[in-house]
Amino acid sequence: MIPLQDSIESPKEVSLPLYYRESFFANDSLLHPELPGGQLGVAGDPVPYTVRSDDAITALLLFCFVMALVVFAHSRQYITHQLKDFFYVRRHESYIHPSSRFQLFLNVQTCLLLAIATFYYINRYASDTLVLDRPYGIIAIYFGLFLAYFSVKVMAYSAVNNVFFGSKKNKQWIGIFTFITSLEGVALFPAVMLQIYFNLPLQSVVYYLIFTLVLTKILTFYKAWIIFFKQIGVYMQIILYLCALEIIPLLAVVGTVVLITDHLKVIF
């Protein structure tokens, strides 16, 4: 026998009898069913932040990839010209193709990739607790640092080369320097993508970055010797030149990164 069978007079009636609506604690002054009784279960651990799950960084890297393809499509002739003329110097002033201006974007992309790689390393291995909650401010700080680093190098090169070697060689050198920097950014892009989205071992990435940095420095030293010091036949001057304009700025930017990271860490 169903308990509701006797109480229901009509199929349309859906009201419950009193003994279903009132419980044993109905007259208790401490009973307040309208108030929430707390959260059921145990709160789980929040999902830690990862660069791969950040939609903004993913969109930024995708934008860099698309723009790099656009740059290669519009400056294919200029890039081919630079690669052909990389290992010797023309006697006359080389023509600068208008599409060489697209190299500026590749230089900015190099700074951005260096900033993302630095943040990824610090967030994973140096300190996972930083002063800024969102990573965008930290990446912007490192991006500004690397952008200032390359800008100061260009100004220092221009100041020194215009005095000792003339404006013609300085223009040629600035074009070579920006070209090498853009190639460095192109070489860094696969390593950053593989590290973030495919968990490439950090040791392999570090070796690849060191190899890329050493290779770009070797190419820079070679072109500086070809352009400025080949006809002079001196070696001490090129060592002093490159130490003052290459090694010291590199050590300075590494020390600045370490200093900024120490200030961004949360010390308990």
Side-chain angles (χ1 to χ4, degrees), residues 69-226:
L69 294 181
V70 174
V71 169
F72 285 126
H74 287 79
S75 8
R76 187 184 304 115
Q77 182 180 358
Y78 172 78
I79 294 174
T80 304
H81 172 77
Q82 286 282 46
L83 290 176
K84 288 181 178 180
D85 297 345
F86 190 83
F87 293 99
Y88 71 94
V89 181
R90 290 177 177 267
R91 295 184 179 274
H92 57 85
E93 185 176 359
S94 59
Y95 173 69
I96 302 298
H97 195 271
S99 61
S100 63
R101 300 169 185 173
F102 285 102
Q103 281 188 133
L104 294 177
F105 172 79
L106 294 179
N107 283 251
V108 174
Q109 177 179 307
T110 302
C111 299
L112 179 61
L113 293 175
L114 288 173
I116 294 177
T118 303
F119 167 76
Y120 185 83
Y121 175 82
I122 291 173
N123 182 69
R124 185 171 179 181
Y125 295 98
S127 176
D128 56 352
T129 306
L130 301 175
V131 175
L132 301 177
D133 297 332
R134 305 298 294 176
Y136 313 121
I138 302 174
I139 294 177
I141 292 174
Y142 291 129
F143 172 73
L145 173 63
F146 289 113
L147 189 62
Y149 164 70
F150 287 107
S151 301
V152 169
K153 284 187 64 175
V154 169
M155 290 187 292
Y157 276 128
S158 299
V160 174
N161 295 336
N162 283 325
V163 173
F164 294 99
F165 304 106
S167 59
K168 180 180 178 180
K169 289 188 175 181
N170 177 63
K171 291 180 180 179
Q172 186 178 7
W173 170 251
I174 295 300
I176 291 296
F177 176 74
T178 54
F179 180 70
I180 294 176
T181 305
S182 62
L183 291 182
E184 183 180 0
V186 173
L188 289 176
F189 190 80
V192 173
M193 296 292 289
L194 292 175
Q195 175 66 47
I196 293 177
Y197 298 104
F198 297 96
N199 287 329
L200 188 68
L202 181 65
Q203 186 177 6
S204 302
V205 176
V206 171
Y207 288 156
Y208 179 81
L209 294 179
I210 293 176
F211 172 77
T212 303
L213 179 62
V214 172
L215 181 61
T216 54
K217 294 305 178 185
I218 291 175
L219 294 177
T220 303
F221 295 169
Y222 171 76
K223 290 302 295 184
W225 179 73
I226 289 293

